[in-house]
DNA sequence: CGTTGGAGTAACTAATTAGTTACTTTGTCC
DNA sequence: GGACAAAGTAACTAATTAGTTACTCCAACG
């Protein structure tokens, strides 16, 4: 197989994304990244420098996406835990995306799909917070209800709830989506219109 | 100084809370916990078992509180990253607290302080999500605006925004709290009524 | 061609770290 | 008062792991 430094670098980066998303900085292993990339460990130092540099490269590569996927949210969490809000990697690019999202909120407000008397920047952040929460804190979802955060039941119920909240004027029938059982524990009701398989 | 196993155990646990909140599981060091506790490392194994057991003891001890503090949120993040939503420690106690919070949401709905046509369980979770977000993802707050998540400016603006959103009927004047500067980057305006020191 | 420098490999090192061993001290109960 | 178990200490071990050394290989360029 022919040499191809760019491909090697890319394979290492991809392996590092997986490793760091799964294990965080301290929990990640250079050897494991090398193994998964099918590359020699020495190549990581050759192409990136050191562990810290690989981590930063991962952040720079993957920290900006339209929709919040599980891997991305985990990287955000690791970023926050390791680095706080100082020295944000790829800030300019990320701001550009944020501004675009604020813009789309503004449009939605114009169309009556979102409350138009709230600040669009904060509203965009709030939407992000509510989207990210179940991915970031699945155990808290389980504390408030029985359905796992990744289950279809929960996802649909949560999306429905958010839509009702976002569009306060048009609250149609919107009756409780959860009911409490005898122990006072929340349980998702099947969504209306959702076929239940027998 | 007299022997006091309970006190030793408590000191170790307190040191472990700090260590794990700061560094997560993989990043935490048994030696550091021992040093901070002023105890011998061996005592950690004596009183708890192993590193994993100390971690679980920390989770059980600190995972339930009324208000979300920074340490608690960091522990929640580490818990989610390390353990996902399986095998939740102290589930019963945490559910009890969640139910109480849902109850207080229900009361607030009755008083008109919260929209009364939304499911109280989901509304309680949403409030938690919005409270926790700035503590969990300070870097994203910085992407959407200039004020740090811990600054008074941000905290007050965020609280104000949430109150306006929670009480949709009584939206008073509520004009944008953020304005975009020439780069399209959000900036918090000083809150009305907030004295600005010269 | 041949030489030069980046790409790649294998084996090593130095440090760190969870967990243990083998021991001493202390309080308590008879 | 002495026996016994729990509380505590210091030094050790075995494994892991980031980073290095000292090489070989290959391709392009003159």
């Amino acid at each position: 197989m022919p040499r191809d430094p760019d491909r090697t670098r890319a394979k290492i980066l991809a392996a590092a994304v997986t490793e760091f998303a799964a294990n965080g900085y301290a929990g990640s292993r250079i050897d494991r990244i090398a193994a998964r990339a099918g590359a020699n460990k020495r190549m990581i130092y050759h192409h990136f420098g050191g562990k810290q540099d690989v981590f930063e490269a991962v952040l720079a590569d993957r920290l900006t996406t339209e929709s919040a996927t599980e891997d991305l949210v985990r990287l955000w969490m690791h970023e926050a835990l390791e680095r706080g809000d100082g020295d944000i990697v790829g800030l300019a690019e990320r701001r550009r995306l944020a501004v675009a999202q604020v813009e789309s909120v503004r449009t939605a407000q114009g169309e009556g799909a979102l409350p138009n008397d709230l600040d669009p920047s904060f509203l965009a952040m709030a939407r992000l917070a509510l989207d990210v929460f179940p991915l970031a804190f699945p155990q808290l979802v389980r504390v408030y209800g029985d359905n796992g955060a990744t289950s279809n039941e929960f996802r649909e119920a949560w999306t429905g709830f958010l839509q009702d909240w976002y569009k306060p004027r048009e609250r149609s029938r919107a009756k409780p989506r959860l009911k409490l059982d005898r122990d006072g524990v929340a349980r998702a009701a099947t969504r209306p219109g959702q076929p239940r398989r027998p």
Side-chain angles (χ1 to χ4, degrees), chain A:
Chain A
M1 43 203 84
R3 291 189 175 187
D4 188 340
D6 289 352
R7 214 175 76 93
T8 303
R9 212 196 113 100
K11 282 200 303 180
I12 291 171
L13 193 60
V17 167
T18 308
E19 178 75 8
F20 282 118
N23 308 108
Y25 182 79
S28 289
R29 298 290 170 254
I30 292 286
D31 290 291
R32 227 152 37 203
I33 294 172
R36 194 185 318 245
N40 188 285
K41 177 187 185 173
R42 187 68 184 77
M43 283 297 94
I44 294 176
Y45 293 91
H46 184 55
H47 284 295
F48 292 90
K51 190 182 182 183
Q52 190 69 44
D53 303 280
V54 185
F55 188 57
E56 295 215 9
V58 166
L59 293 188
D61 183 60
R62 280 294 181 103
L63 238 35
T64 314
T65 316
E66 303 286 333
S67 66
T69 63
E70 200 181 324
D71 255 24
L72 178 61
V73 169
R74 290 181 67 95
L75 284 174
W76 279 347
M77 292 171 83
H78 288 301
E79 182 191 29
L81 289 168
E82 303 281 347
R83 305 162 61 98
D85 67 345
D87 192 24
I88 300 171
V89 86
L91 183 57
E93 173 63 16
R94 295 167 88 174
R95 284 227 161 123
R96 216 168 301 136
L97 210 88
V99 168
Q101 278 162 352
V102 172
E103 234 6 89
S104 90
V105 163
R106 215 187 295 273
T107 311
Q109 285 178 313
E111 292 165 351
L114 288 175
N116 65 4
D117 51 357
L118 293 174
D119 175 73
S121 289
F122 276 8
L123 201 44
M125 261 183 50
R127 278 168 50 121
L128 180 61
L130 294 165
D131 277 359
V132 158
F133 182 78
L135 293 172
F137 300 101
Q139 82 274 32
L140 300 185
V141 171
R142 268 269 157 76
V143 168
Y144 279 81
D146 276 351
N147 286 312
T150 55
S151 71
N152 281 338
E153 286 81 7
F154 174 80
R155 281 213 289 244
E156 282 167 21
W158 183 244
T159 311
F161 164 80
L162 291 180
Q163 271 164 7
D164 285 348
W165 198 14
Y166 291 154
K167 248 199 256 192
R169 303 304 167 204
E170 307 183 18
R171 284 165 197 167
S172 37
R173 11 95 251 242
K175 260 294 136 185
R177 288 187 189 322
L178 286 188
K179 50 180 194 286
L180 294 184
D181 64 16
R182 53 249 156 248
D183 301 324
V185 168
R187 235 171 241 298
T190 42
R191 293 270 299 158
Q194 177 72 359
R196 66 176 64 77
R197 48 198 61 184

